[in-house]
Amino acid sequence: MTLIYKAPLRDMRFVMDEWLDAAAWWREVPDWQDLDSPTAQQVLEEAARFVEERIAPLNASADLEGCHFEAGTVTTPAGFRESYAEFVAAGWPTLSLDPEHGGQGLPQLLDVALQEMLAGANHAWLMSPGLTHGATACLQTYGSERVKRELLPKVASGEWLSTMCLTEPQAGSDVGLIRSRATEAPGTDGYFIDGSKIFISGGAHDLTENIVHLVLARLPDAPPGTKGLSLFVVPEWLDGSDAGRSRNGVYCEGIEKKMGLKGSPTCTMRFERAFGWLVGEPHRGLTCLFVMMNAARLQVAMQGLGHAQSAWQRAHAYAQERRQMRALSVPPGATVAPGQTSPIAFHPAMRRILMELRAVAEGERAIGYWTAHWLDIAARHADAAERENAAQLASLLTPIVKAFFTANGFAAASNALQVFGGYGYIHEYGIEQTLRDSRVSMLYEGTNEIQAIDLLVRKVLPDGARALDLLLRHMRAEAGLCRESDPLVRCAGVKLDELAQTVERTTQALKARQAQDPETAYRVADDYLAMLGWMLLAFAWARTLRIATPQRDTDAFYAEKQETGRFFFDYPLAAFAYRRSLVEAGCEAALPFV
């Protein structure tokens, strides 16, 4: 059985048009007054056509072929180079970029939908162009006039691809241990960079004629730790620079043999008197790079959603075809003749797995798109106070969705593999590749543990939980709207309000405990983040039930939504109480050393 990814356009339309009512707000933005729902859907339909026809069919073959390394040169799998050229020619990298830099200026909301499609169809293909938006934002904000003139337009358009060079053998999450050095290049406005970096996605490839590396390094007068890091932009090829037209001192020394994403080159890079320019101010490199990393974290969240959606599609299709034993019950309208076996989708164990896959994927789509919508509001709202509130919400949501979605993406792939039984363990059915490919999303752009610490230690506890209060206000507002609906929706609203109260009480208790034991927050951060993630899914499904229930008898789509929402509150949401109990345990008991 061969399954090619299909973009969930109907559900994407539901989230944008009904769950968010995004077009109503677009009309308030001068640049988007002509952008309506039909136009947005045309964009998504064209994106889906490209992804399904040109990107998805390369997924399995690229996994088997992998990348090729020879004498410092990297070749990507068959079809990658050609399809990437088509991707650039069609303008997809510029979808939400600033028109000042050649972008189309559309909402981030449309771009995250595109990112979800690409990740669900072919995560390895996405890896090389994945940093385009973050690199563009970084150079646009902090690049010199020369960098903006000579490099930014080609990075923004996708003509040149970019990398983020942080990790070194001794410096992973603790970037303060970075040893790469930068010294002034005499007679120029640039610097020479020397050092080695590992785990660099797309560090070398044949997709573009040039690759622009963003590199963290230390100047000679740099203080120790993270306060001594500066950011430099280092092209692989120099054209018209002070050093003249030449190959720069940037070398790929090998590509990693990995668990997954075999179609994406993950490179060991050496910089040897590599010429580059300072980005931003000296010793403020992390400030500059966070612009790039925050953009990347939302994209990684969409990877988790893409994996969950792909896992659901594969498992659902297989479960409808595969017959085993005779089920004790059948769905309305279906029959199984005496002596015949039933599709495994009829059996309770499989029904539960399939429903969980659907509930998580569809709930996450609402929350992921909601996060992107807040980024649009933060960038475009006419009122400064509203922009500030939106930015705070987006900042709070970013580590949650990155960690929660990617953990669920891997879990979804594992659970979906269980539906296939032994067939899931072999390559032909595709789900084992999704399992392997999804695992790394929990590691890069800050491990999920780092995201949890960022959420709790840096964003909830220090600011008096102002951003959390904003979030809980939205939960309670939705709960209030649900109380005015039918009994099922009212129950969802009551439950959502209870969850918001629990989060508030748990946070207050955690603050009190933290004052006595400073390690507390670090012990419970993972479970605290997951607790908020399940509350957000409850918010997604409460609003979905409120919208879908009045239309359940007129459209099967809304009937399925109601069924899935009811299931979510009956089954998966139990994970909230489990995570809350672990937070409470972590507040009371210290962890032993092993």
Side-chain angles (χ1 to χ4, degrees):
M1 174 183 135
T2 302
L3 177 69
I4 299 297
Y5 170 86
K6 298 291 291 183
L9 290 173
R10 179 65 184 90
D11 200 52
M12 290 176 169
R13 186 167 72 248
F14 168 76
V15 174
M16 290 187 187
D17 290 353
E18 299 180 69
W19 202 94
L20 287 172
D21 192 15
W25 185 73
W26 293 341
R27 288 192 291 271
E28 300 178 16
V29 179
D31 291 342
W32 295 341
Q33 287 180 346
D34 295 331
L35 178 63
D36 56 13
S37 294
T39 303
Q41 290 311 311
Q42 288 176 3
V43 172
L44 294 183
E45 287 168 7
E46 189 60 25
R49 183 198 62 77
F50 179 81
V51 169
E52 291 167 7
E53 294 179 4
R54 296 295 293 122
I55 307 301
L58 303 174
N59 190 43
S61 60
D63 183 60
L64 293 177
E65 180 186 352
C67 295
H68 308 277
F69 175 79
E70 184 174 355
T73 299
V74 175
T75 304
T76 53
F80 272 38
R81 181 178 172 87
E82 295 78 10
S83 58
Y84 180 72
E86 295 172 28
F87 183 72
V88 173
W92 292 116
T94 68
L95 192 66
S96 64
L97 293 182
D98 191 331
E100 181 182 347
H101 300 287
Q104 300 175 54
L106 292 174
Q108 288 273 0
L109 177 57
L110 294 180
D111 189 70
V112 297
L114 171 63
Q115 299 302 319
E116 179 200 338
M117 293 185 210
L118 290 169
N122 192 333
H123 184 183
W125 188 95
L126 174 61
M127 288 300 294
S128 288
L131 292 175
T132 294
H133 280 208
T136 299
C138 180
L139 296 180
Q140 182 177 330
T141 305
Y142 293 107
S144 66
E145 290 305 312
R146 180 173 188 174
V147 165
K148 290 179 181 178
R149 182 177 65 252
E150 297 181 7
L151 302 184
L152 179 56
K154 294 186 177 182
V155 171
S157 69
E159 181 181 348
W160 293 353
L161 284 172
S162 55
T163 72
M164 184 162 51
C165 296
L166 283 72
T167 305
E168 297 178 5
Q170 80 292 341
S173 298
D174 188 355
V175 294
L177 300 177
I178 283 174
R179 296 173 184 164
S180 294
R181 296 290 174 179
T183 55
E184 289 189 19
T188 76
D189 62 349
Y191 294 80
F192 289 127
I193 313 299
D194 291 275
S196 294
K197 301 288 183 177
I198 62 172
F199 303 157
I200 307 305
S201 298
H205 51 67
D206 59 350
L207 302 180
T208 57
E209 66 176 19
N210 203 356
I211 303 171
V212 175
H213 304 278
L214 284 160
V215 186
L216 278 182
R218 295 184 181 281
L219 291 165
D221 62 343
T226 57
K227 294 180 179 179
L229 295 174
S230 299
L231 184 65
F232 301 86
V233 56
V234 183
E236 181 184 21
W237 288 89
L238 296 163
D239 187 4
S241 73
D242 294 294
R245 168 66 176 169
S246 64
R247 171 69 185 261
N248 206 357
V250 180
Y251 307 96
C252 177
E253 297 192 318
I255 56 176
E256 302 294 343
K257 295 181 179 179
K258 300 174 295 186
M259 173 181 175
L261 297 184
K262 295 180 182 292
S264 166
T266 304
C267 304
T268 299
M269 304 297 298
R270 176 167 54 89
F271 297 87
E272 187 174 303
R273 286 182 65 79
F275 186 86
W277 292 273
L278 181 69
V279 178
E281 298 178 12
H283 318 316
R284 299 292 302 276
L286 280 184
T287 299
C288 303
L289 202 61
F290 277 139
V291 173
M292 189 173 185
M293 293 179 71
N294 284 335
R297 285 171 178 169
L298 180 55
Q299 186 194 81
V300 174
M302 292 301 104
Q303 292 171 11
L305 171 55
H307 295 141
Q309 176 66 31
S310 179
W312 149 249
Q313 285 186 5
R314 291 180 185 277
H316 181 256
Y318 180 82
Q320 301 299 323
E321 293 185 5
R322 179 69 168 174
R323 289 179 172 268
Q324 294 276 278
M325 301 171 285
R326 186 176 178 85
L328 296 175
S329 58
V330 298
T335 58
V336 177
Q340 286 189 340
T341 55
S342 304
I344 63 173
F346 291 3
H347 294 284
M350 295 298 100
R351 279 153 50 197
R352 176 168 174 174
I353 292 175
L354 293 171
M355 287 298 295
E356 286 178 351
L357 291 172
R358 184 164 73 182
V360 169
E362 293 181 6
E364 286 183 349
R365 182 168 297 111
I367 298 304
Y369 289 15
W370 192 55
T371 304
H373 190 54
W374 284 120
L375 287 173
D376 287 330
I377 293 173
R380 299 281 190 152
H381 203 285
D383 183 81
E386 292 296 331
R387 291 198 302 272
E388 173 62 22
N389 286 342
Q392 282 208 325
L393 269 173
S395 178
L396 183 78
L397 289 167
T398 296
I400 301 175
V401 296
K402 190 281 181 185
F404 190 66
F405 287 16
T406 57
N408 286 337
F410 179 70
S414 181
N415 291 336
L417 192 152
Q418 194 73 14
V419 173
F420 287 82
Y423 283 115
Y425 204 64
I426 61 177
H427 186 269
E428 285 78 358
Y429 285 79
I431 191 62
E432 63 85 28
Q433 182 187 343
T434 304
L435 183 68
R436 289 185 287 107
D437 287 352
S438 65
R439 186 58 181 88
V440 73
S441 299
M442 299 167 67
L443 301 175
Y444 55 34
E445 304 308 337
T447 66
N448 285 3
E449 292 78 12
I450 293 292
Q451 303 300 321
I453 292 169
D454 176 49
L455 170 70
L456 182 54
V457 177
R458 298 189 181 97
K459 292 177 177 172
V460 170
L461 296 181
D463 75 342
R466 182 177 183 275
L468 181 64
D469 288 343
L470 288 172
L471 180 65
L472 295 180
R473 198 178 304 164
H474 284 280
M475 305 299 104
R476 291 181 175 120
E478 181 59 46
L481 292 173
C482 289
R483 286 200 182 96
E484 300 173 6
S485 188
D486 82 346
L488 174 63
V489 182
R490 282 201 299 274
C491 287
V494 169
K495 185 62 177 177
L496 178 60
D497 190 58
E498 290 173 354
L499 298 179
Q501 292 180 33
T502 300
V503 166
E504 186 173 48
R505 288 195 304 268
T506 302
T507 304
Q508 291 170 350
L510 176 56
K511 284 184 177 182
R513 181 63 180 172
Q514 179 74 3
Q516 304 170 26
D517 178 5
E519 193 184 66
T520 301
Y522 294 86
R523 289 197 300 267
V524 306
D526 288 335
D527 296 305
Y528 183 87
L529 183 148
M531 185 177 69
L532 265 60
W534 287 109
M535 178 187 70
L536 286 168
L537 287 190
F539 168 59
W541 280 110
R543 178 176 290 186
T544 297
L545 284 171
R546 179 169 60 82
I547 296 167
T549 297
Q551 306 177 74
R552 64 192 171 193
D553 296 328
T554 60
D555 190 322
F557 174 83
Y558 297 104
E560 282 191 353
K561 282 292 187 185
Q562 187 194 51
E563 179 183 70
T564 308
R566 185 197 303 271
F567 169 83
F568 174 82
F569 281 97
D570 287 343
Y571 283 88
L573 188 55
F576 176 92
Y578 171 65
R579 290 293 191 166
R580 182 200 64 206
S581 69
L582 291 179
V583 171
E584 293 173 348
C587 286
E588 297 300 325
L591 289 170
F593 289 95
V594 295

